[in-house]
Amino acid sequence: MDEPQNKSDIPEKSAEEAVPEHAYLIISGVKVFPLGSPVINIGRRLDNALVIDDPRVSRNHAQLRAEGGRFVVYDLNSTGGTFVNGKRVTQCVLYPGDVISLAGVPIIFGQDNPPPRPDMAITLPPEKR
């Protein structure tokens, strides 16, 4: 098989496929789960990437997907629901410090050196506006 002649011959990951760097989950305040895949299935079933052995959690409860350089949590029609910062969601972009609750099981999303939040306006002191 021929080797690529230069870097332009090597397909690059698009922003949609890029896994955000240094992202992780803290489950119930004790277990750290690094997020190194573009898709992470969460639930009670043993074939999930993140297995949560709690009867409140559905067999296939939620999914994290890397989209546009960020992780987005999706509820997979779970019985107990997926909440982010106390609000029930069907999907939600995650930011460091967000608390995900899967039917009452707390999970904290973390990321070292996260990209800037587009929803946070830069505020300047009144004298510099």
Side-chain angles (χ1 to χ4, degrees):
M1 186 170 165
D2 292 335
E3 292 293 318
Q5 297 301 314
N6 58 45
K7 286 186 178 182
S8 64
D9 294 340
I10 301 170
E12 292 184 26
K13 288 185 177 181
S14 70
E16 293 296 314
E17 299 170 333
V19 176
E21 292 185 357
H22 310 291
Y24 54 90
L25 299 175
I26 301 172
I27 298 95
S28 298
V30 294
K31 180 182 176 187
V32 176
F33 182 86
L35 302 174
S37 300
V39 177
I40 294 117
N41 290 313
I42 306 169
R44 260 190 3 254
R45 282 181 45 163
L46 297 178
D47 62 349
N48 285 299
L50 175 56
V51 177
I52 299 179
D53 186 21
D54 188 298
R56 299 173 292 177
V57 174
S58 295
R59 289 182 299 254
N60 295 309
H61 197 107
Q63 184 179 77
L64 295 181
R65 293 184 212 156
E67 296 180 4
R70 299 190 181 280
F71 274 106
V72 180
V73 64
Y74 290 87
D75 182 75
L76 299 177
N77 296 318
S78 64
T79 304
T82 299
F83 298 78
V84 175
N85 301 325
K87 187 175 185 178
R88 191 169 188 150
V89 299
T90 55
Q91 69 181 54
C92 182
V93 175
L94 296 174
Y95 296 100
D98 281 349
V99 178
I100 306 162
S101 176
L102 303 182
V105 175
I107 299 172
I108 300 170
F109 175 76
Q111 185 175 8
D112 298 333
N113 303 317
R117 287 182 63 157
D119 62 331
M120 300 293 283
I122 297 174
T123 57
L124 297 173
E127 65 274 4
K128 295 191 178 184
R129 287 187 201 165

